[in-house]
Amino acid sequence: SAVISQKPSRDICQRGTSLTIQCQVDSQVTMMFWYRQQPGQSLTLIATANQGSEATYESGFVIDKFPISRPNLTFSTLTVSNMSPEDSSIYLCSASGTGYEQYFGPGTRLTVT
Amino acid sequence: KQEVTQIPAALSVPEGENLVLNCSFTDSAIYNLQWFRQDPGKGLTSLLLIQSSQREQTSGRLNASLDKSSGRSTLYIAASQPGDSATYLCAVTGTSGSRLTFGEGTQLTVNP
């Protein structure tokens, strides 16, 4: 199994600003993902973070709004840019190895005022 | 496009009762299925992983079954406890082996 940590655990941000969320895995993993969970809803995949190349975004999510980096096999960042109240969500990082079992971080609770 | 449905959306039971949570998916071409637990405002904890070639997995009081051909999975919780209160999420991995598709979850409350 993999242990995943995220920073910050929560933040309150003003409209129009940006926040970068960090995700650290305790072991080398094949794939890393970023999800969003809006209040009262299930998880929606934002993108797959690819090591050393551009992330693969799901429909409805774009790089300008959610730039992602993955400089190595154990670390990734997600930036939420030019935030609006609609971006208030829990953002979760996950990782999987060769067996494709996914493990999740504790999440970052973002509130945009 | 894969769709995952969980029934019921919410469930309230007295402590000690055995219960079953249901999950169905529209595309049977899956790599695996996972059950997760999520406590309010927290991340997801993986409970059980069933590979597409398996029929069931057990961990303590939890038992998950998979019928891939009919697109169904169940999570059985024996002798429920108040500490089991949480939202339970079912998710399937496609045959590409990457992205997870989640159901909407079942919110379970176990009353003392």
Side-chain angles (χ1 to χ4, degrees), chain A residues 67-109:
Chain A
I68 289 170
S69 78
R70 188 181 174 191
N72 57 53
L73 288 174
T74 63
F75 184 78
S76 178
T77 67
L78 167 74
T79 299
V80 186
S81 303
N82 188 25
M83 289 184 284
S84 66
E86 291 72 33
D87 294 319
S88 297
S89 296
I90 299 175
Y91 291 85
L92 297 120
C93 169
S94 75
S96 69
T98 54
Y100 299 122
E101 180 171 7
Q102 284 202 24
Y103 299 93
F104 282 79
T108 296
R109 181 184 288 272

Side-chain angles (χ1 to χ4, degrees), chain A residues 4 6 8-10 35-43 89-93 103-110, chain B residues 36-46 83 85-89 102:
Chain A
I4 301 174
Q6 283 185 236
S9 59
R10 59 176 61 218
Y35 290 83
R36 181 174 75 181
Q37 187 176 30
Q38 295 180 301
Q41 298 188 22
S42 191
L43 282 75
S89 296
I90 299 175
Y91 291 85
L92 297 120
C93 169
Y103 299 93
F104 282 79
T108 296
R109 181 184 288 272
L110 171 63
Chain B
F36 295 92
R37 169 187 173 138
Q38 185 175 32
D39 293 286
K42 306 292 186 182
L44 274 65
T45 300
S46 179
S85 298
T87 296
Y88 290 80
L89 293 158
F102 280 87

Side-chain angles (χ1 to χ4, degrees), chain A residues 38-55:
Chain A
Q38 295 180 301
Q41 298 188 22
S42 191
L43 282 75
T44 301
L45 180 64
I46 297 172
T48 302
N50 301 309
Q51 191 221 343
S53 64
E54 192 171 289

Side-chain angles (χ1 to χ4, degrees), chain B residues 25-77:
Chain B
F25 45 95
T26 55
D27 185 352
S28 62
I30 64 169
Y31 191 90
N32 61 39
L33 182 145
Q34 279 186 260
W35 283 93
F36 295 92
R37 169 187 173 138
Q38 185 175 32
D39 293 286
K42 306 292 186 182
L44 274 65
T45 300
S46 179
L47 298 173
L48 289 164
L49 168 73
I50 310 177
Q51 301 292 353
S52 62
S53 59
Q54 297 176 322
R55 298 283 292 181
E56 66 177 339
Q57 284 286 333
T58 298
S59 176
R61 293 183 294 109
L62 305 180
N63 175 277
S65 69
L66 174 64
D67 184 342
K68 196 175 76 163
S69 60
S70 68
R72 295 181 180 180
S73 176
T74 62
L75 178 66
Y76 175 83
I77 302 176

Side-chain angles (χ1 to χ4, degrees), chain B residues 2-7 22-27 33 35 70-74 90 92 102-103:
Chain B
Q2 180 73 270
E3 293 183 359
V4 181
T5 303
Q6 291 186 244
I7 295 173
N22 296 290
C23 171
S24 62
F25 45 95
T26 55
D27 185 352
L33 182 145
W35 283 93
S70 68
R72 295 181 180 180
S73 176
T74 62
C90 166
V92 297
F102 280 87

